[in-house]
Amino acid sequence: MTITEVSKKYDISQDTLRYYERIGLIPAVNRTKGGMRDYTEESCGWIELAKCMRSAGIPIEALIEYCALTQQGDQTITARKELLFEERTKLLEKMEDMKKTLDKLNYKIDIYEKAEVTGVLSWDKPND
């Protein structure tokens, strides 16, 4: 696939694709004889992984390290697993924080919905 096709397929700019390759977030992409990028199914798999992980807030540095470890071969399986485990732990902590925030927002919204019905705002303190 060309960079234009991949850009459209994954809704990522061509500049971002080039950047990901340049910094090692995805392995080097094959080139045609004319020097044009030729994305394979494997290249696209790396792009999907990068997009998914970035949307979850996984740091670029962790993904670069993961890509580098993968390219070093099977002797890095344990290191890759540990890296992913650490990132999963961080993500679970973020999700717990987000859940607490969501609960607080729902509580506040409930207060205002009741106030709209009754005409009385009975409880609205910043820390409640």
Side-chain angles (χ1 to χ4, degrees):
M1 295 176 79
T2 66
I3 195 168
T4 302
E5 293 168 330
V6 172
S7 175
K8 287 179 185 174
K9 180 176 182 176
Y10 295 104
D11 193 30
I12 299 175
S13 75
Q14 293 179 29
D15 287 338
T16 299
L17 290 168
R18 289 183 197 99
Y19 172 71
Y20 281 0
E21 184 181 359
R22 186 174 65 252
I23 65 170
L25 187 61
I26 62 173
V29 175
N30 295 331
R31 303 287 182 131
T32 64
K33 289 181 181 181
M36 303 280 291
R37 286 175 174 80
D38 184 20
Y39 291 86
T40 63
E41 189 174 317
E42 182 179 352
S43 302
C44 290
W46 278 102
I47 293 164
E48 287 176 15
L49 178 67
K51 187 172 180 179
C52 174
M53 296 296 145
R54 289 298 298 141
S55 71
I58 305 296
I60 285 178
E61 296 79 12
L63 295 173
I64 291 169
E65 182 180 352
Y66 178 78
C67 182
L69 288 169
T70 300
Q71 292 177 317
Q72 292 173 30
D74 289 348
Q75 69 272 17
T76 66
I77 287 173
T78 301
R80 285 183 262 166
K81 183 187 82 172
E82 289 172 358
L83 187 148
L84 294 175
F85 186 82
E86 289 172 16
E87 292 305 324
R88 179 179 68 182
T89 299
K90 292 175 192 175
L91 187 57
L92 288 169
E93 290 170 358
K94 285 182 194 176
M95 289 171 65
E96 184 59 33
D97 289 344
M98 292 176 75
K99 170 77 169 84
K100 289 176 185 175
T101 301
L102 181 60
D103 289 345
K104 178 76 73 176
L105 287 171
N106 286 335
Y107 173 77
K108 291 289 200 180
I109 290 167
D110 187 53
I111 288 171
Y112 290 117
E113 286 177 342
K114 288 177 182 172
E116 287 176 333
V117 171
T118 64
V120 177
L121 183 58
S122 61
W123 200 259
D124 187 28
K125 294 180 182 174
N127 294 323
D128 288 332

